[in-house]
């Protein structure tokens, strides 16, 4: 990151002169470190190159400083000239796109028939000046225990906010989707594209919607899959996410008890009670490894939150829970999560459509994903309850979240409180992202999505206006593109050939692959 770019004179229209950013060219070269290793593992390293664009920290005051946004490109396999670039955002907020694309080229290879497929680490994420709250274990969020004194919760929140400010450097005050959207436009120009062609998953749908509002004349073909909310307050977003995860867990347990060998038996209601009891027991008396590490009920919650994203993971989850309950062996669950304590959670699910690809490189702090998630969600949210209101309402919120989900409610409460002690965020997304004047946008909603409920797709479509076309995916899992052949075909047809489904079109649930 630059310590301070030379002062730029205002342009003729009175706005800051951003020409130095909009005239840059990307110098593509070999990827390095863990990104290079991922590309090698896919067998496509020769087709993958890395680079960066430089963007201002503050678009209103470009002299404040700069940040280099890391990028990755999978070259088009088209025999002729490609249509241009297709930018991907895999979700989060806080999810790195460079390592995600490096590790999932096969999944997006068909799109390379028409495009150079490109992704990036948003500012403050991964290789783009990563923020941190100084937690070497990667678990930034404090957890509000049942009955914990509100004053203690507030003290911990203040401590976390100060640590994040101290450890993150100059980029932290300039996080947020509004700035990342402007970075996206700089990338579009640097790639040589007149229009932005874009595929965004989960949080990436929020980013795409903001771009459509900020730069409507620059929108090409845009798909938003696993659609985030643009309007709901943080408390409602987080509560709805808890409900969605609980519904997905109930669906899994119904499936499990309908198959021979399910460790929870054959009664779905009893299985739900057994799951709650398992988590409570492990929170009370954690398992302890030979090295002294603990495995708690909240670690189980973290694994569930990840495994429920894909129906294909259900058989492995069933087996791992069986090993835990039958033998007290959590190793299979730990392998499913890549480690203890649950990964990333947060508003709008705190999710990505591609799981297990967020490699942490030598330059990336272990807690970067959770620190970036907090920073972006707080920057995007104008609500700032004061200490008196939090102390008054925290007990009531604990009860509401427990009712929404006896399994996920506890862990999903903290995103409601995490912005305490931080500067107020923007009201732009909630108030101004509406009635966009763009070409048709394709929105994909999945009925059994554990992170972004289907009603958010319908609500966001109404907000964006008649240009939003909804594809109703009747299946399970988070987002539809990687879990449904029907969704993939319709998205590919739209992005590659401009084939727009009729609004209200649907894709049936896939034949049950979780056997």
């Amino acid at each position: 990151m630059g310590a301070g770019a030379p002062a730029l004179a205002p342009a003729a229209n009175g706005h800051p002169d951003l020409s130095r950013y909009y005239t840059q060219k990307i110098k593509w070269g070999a990827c390095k470190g863990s990104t290079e290793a991922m590309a090698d593992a896919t067998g496509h390293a020769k087709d993958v190159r890395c680079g960066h664009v430089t963007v201002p920290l503050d678009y209103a005051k470009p002299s404040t400083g700069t940040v280099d946004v890391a990028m990755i490109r999978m070259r088009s396999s088209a025999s002729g000239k490609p249509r241009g670039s297709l930018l991907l955002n895999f979700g989060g907020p806080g999810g790195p796109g460079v390592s995600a694309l490096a590790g999932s080229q096969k999944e997006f290879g068909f799109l390379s028939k028409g495009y150079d497929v490109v992704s990036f680490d948003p500012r403050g994420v991964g290789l783009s000046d990563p923020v941190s709250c100084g937690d070497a274990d990667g678990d930034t969020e404090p957890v509000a225990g049942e009955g914990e004194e509100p004053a203690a919760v507030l003290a911990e929140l203040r401590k976390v906010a100060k640590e994040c400010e101290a450890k993150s450097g100059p980029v932290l005050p300039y996080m947020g989707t509004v700035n990342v959207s402007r970075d996206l436009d700089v990338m579009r120009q640097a790639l040589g594209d007149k229009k932005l062609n874009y595929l965004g998953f989960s949080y990436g749908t929020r980013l795409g919607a903001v771009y459509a509002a900020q730069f409507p004349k620059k929108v090409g073909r845009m798909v938003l899959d696993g659609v985030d909310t643009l309007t709901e307050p943080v408390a409602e977003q987080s509560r709805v996410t808890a409900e969605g995860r609980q519904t997905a867990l109930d669906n899994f347990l119904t499936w499990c008890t309908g198959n021979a060998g399910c460790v929870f038996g054959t009664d779905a209601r009893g299985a739900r009670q057994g799951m709650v009891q398992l988590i409570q027991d492990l929170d009370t008396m954690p398992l302890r490894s030979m090295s002294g590490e603990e495995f708690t009920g909240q670690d189980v919650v973290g694994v569930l939150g990840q495994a429920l994203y894909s129906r294909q993971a259900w058989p492995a989850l069933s087996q791992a829970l069986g090993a835990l309950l039958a033998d007290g062996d959590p190793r299979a669950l730990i392998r499913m999560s890549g480690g203890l304590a649950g990964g990333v959670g947060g508003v709008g699910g705190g999710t990505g459509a591609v799981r297990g690809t967020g490699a942490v490189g030598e330059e990336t702090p272990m807690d970067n994903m959770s620190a970036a998630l907090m920073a972006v969600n707080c920057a995007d949210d104008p609500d700032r309850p004061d200490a008196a209101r939090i102390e008054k309402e925290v007990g009531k919120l604990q009860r509401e979240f427990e009712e929404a989900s006896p399994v996920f409610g506890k862990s999903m409460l903290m995103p409601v409180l995490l912005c305490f002690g931080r500067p107020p965020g923007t009201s732009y997304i909630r108030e101004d992202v509406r009635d966009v004047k763009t070409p048709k946008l394709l929105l994909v909603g999945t009925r059994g999505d554990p992170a972004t409920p289907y009603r958010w797709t319908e609500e966001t479509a109404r907000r964006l206006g008649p240009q939003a076309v909804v594809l109703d995916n009747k299946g399970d899992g988070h987002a539809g593109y990687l879990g449904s052949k029907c969704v993939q075909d319709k998205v590919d047809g739209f992005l590659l050939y401009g084939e727009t489904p009729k609004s209200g079109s649907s894709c049936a649930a896939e034949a049950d692959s979780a056997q």
Side-chain angles (χ1 to χ4, degrees):
M1 185 182 67
L8 300 175
N13 58 9
H15 296 297
D17 182 1
L18 301 174
S19 59
R20 62 167 287 197
Y21 304 105
Y22 275 90
T23 55
Q24 64 185 305
K25 301 296 181 183
I26 302 170
K27 296 180 180 178
W28 297 105
C31 299
K32 299 178 181 179
S34 59
T35 303
E36 182 182 30
M38 282 184 169
D40 282 339
T42 65
H44 296 280
K46 68 181 190 312
D47 299 320
V48 176
R49 292 291 182 269
C50 290
H52 72 269
V53 294
T54 300
V55 297
L57 283 173
D58 186 346
Y59 280 88
K61 298 179 180 179
S63 60
T64 301
T66 63
V67 58
D68 289 340
V69 174
M71 301 178 66
I72 185 170
R73 181 187 68 182
M74 180 170 65
R75 288 184 295 189
S76 173
S77 61
S79 55
K81 186 177 181 181
R83 284 183 46 82
S85 302
L86 174 71
L87 269 83
L88 272 59
N89 181 280
F90 292 96
V98 171
S99 59
L101 183 56
S104 58
Q105 294 165 68
K106 180 180 178 182
E107 289 85 346
F108 299 96
F110 190 77
L111 291 170
S112 72
K113 293 181 181 296
Y115 296 96
D116 289 332
V117 181
V118 178
S119 192
F120 61 101
D121 290 354
R123 57 170 64 200
V125 173
L127 302 176
S128 300
D129 197 21
V131 296
S132 172
C133 296
D135 192 326
D137 294 328
D139 182 20
T140 298
E141 300 180 9
V143 176
E146 185 176 354
E148 186 171 350
E149 286 296 322
V153 174
L154 293 176
E156 183 65 19
L157 291 170
R158 288 190 185 95
K159 178 182 176 183
V160 170
K162 289 181 179 179
E163 284 292 308
C164 296
E165 184 177 355
K167 301 290 185 180
S168 292
V171 73
L172 184 63
Y174 305 101
M175 298 285 284
T177 304
V178 171
N179 275 335
V180 176
S181 173
R182 299 200 67 173
D183 297 343
L184 201 57
D185 197 56
V186 172
M187 285 182 257
R188 173 200 59 76
Q189 182 72 18
L191 288 164
D193 295 328
K194 292 182 179 179
K195 304 281 187 178
L196 175 73
N197 300 303
Y198 178 82
L199 172 57
F201 298 102
S202 194
Y203 162 75
T205 68
R206 189 197 309 173
L207 175 58
V210 170
Y211 185 91
Q214 285 185 311
F215 304 99
K217 294 182 180 180
K218 299 296 184 181
V219 173
R221 295 175 183 174
M222 179 175 286
V223 177
L224 310 179
D225 185 4
V227 183
D228 201 355
T229 181
L230 300 173
T231 60
E232 291 184 349
V234 173
E236 181 65 11
Q237 292 181 47
S238 199
R239 188 186 64 78
V240 168
T241 299
E243 286 181 344
R245 291 185 179 183
Q246 185 66 48
T247 298
L249 176 60
D250 292 347
N251 291 344
F252 161 74
L253 291 173
T254 298
W255 166 86
C256 180
T257 54
N259 287 275
C262 178
V263 72
F264 291 103
T266 59
D267 176 40
R269 178 178 295 182
R272 296 184 188 107
Q273 294 171 347
M275 180 66 76
V276 172
Q277 190 63 52
L278 169 66
I279 292 165
Q280 290 177 346
D281 289 347
L282 285 173
D283 277 340
T284 302
M285 188 174 295
L287 296 173
R288 193 179 299 274
S289 70
M290 294 292 290
S291 60
E293 293 179 331
E294 291 186 342
F295 185 83
T296 70
Q298 293 311 303
D299 290 318
V300 176
V301 172
V303 178
L304 292 173
Q306 296 183 46
L308 293 171
Y309 276 39
S310 170
R311 191 177 177 93
Q312 285 71 32
W314 286 8
L317 178 61
S318 178
Q319 293 174 7
L321 287 168
L324 177 65
L325 280 165
D327 305 318
D329 184 355
R331 288 177 296 179
L333 281 173
I334 294 171
R335 285 194 295 269
M336 289 191 74
S337 71
L340 297 180
V344 179
V347 175
T351 56
V354 178
R355 310 299 293 171
T357 54
V360 177
E362 293 179 0
E363 302 175 49
T364 308
M366 287 293 292
D367 72 331
N368 174 237
M369 292 181 71
S370 54
L373 180 143
M374 287 194 296
V376 173
N377 283 335
C378 294
D380 288 358
D381 177 49
D383 297 330
R384 285 296 182 275
D386 58 24
R389 181 178 168 189
I390 291 178
E391 288 196 24
K392 181 180 178 181
E393 296 183 358
V394 67
K396 174 173 172 284
L397 286 170
Q398 286 174 332
R399 292 189 296 273
E400 289 179 354
F401 275 67
E402 178 70 18
E403 291 174 2
S405 171
V407 171
F408 298 102
K410 180 179 179 180
S411 64
M412 293 305 300
L413 173 59
M414 286 312 299
V416 180
L417 309 174
L418 282 171
C419 298
F420 177 76
R422 295 173 183 242
T426 181
S427 60
Y428 177 82
I429 299 172
R430 192 177 294 178
E431 296 180 1
D432 296 335
V433 181
R434 61 174 71 243
D435 300 320
V436 297
K437 308 300 183 185
T438 66
K440 293 293 184 183
L441 311 172
L442 180 58
L443 277 61
V444 181
T446 297
R447 292 285 178 168
D449 196 313
T452 50
Y454 184 79
R455 71 174 178 85
W456 284 356
T457 302
E458 296 179 314
E459 291 170 1
T460 298
R462 288 193 293 270
R463 285 266 304 185
L464 296 179
Q467 297 307 97
V469 175
V470 172
L471 176 62
D472 180 356
N473 177 29
K474 307 289 187 181
D476 292 295
H478 183 38
Y481 186 79
L482 297 179
S484 166
K485 181 65 165 56
C486 172
V487 171
Q488 192 170 77
D489 287 345
K490 290 185 182 297
V491 169
D492 289 346
F494 176 78
L495 289 172
L496 291 171
Y497 312 117
E499 299 169 351
T500 307
K502 292 182 179 179
S503 194
S505 296
S506 65
C507 283
E510 295 281 297
D512 196 347
S513 59
Q515 297 293 340

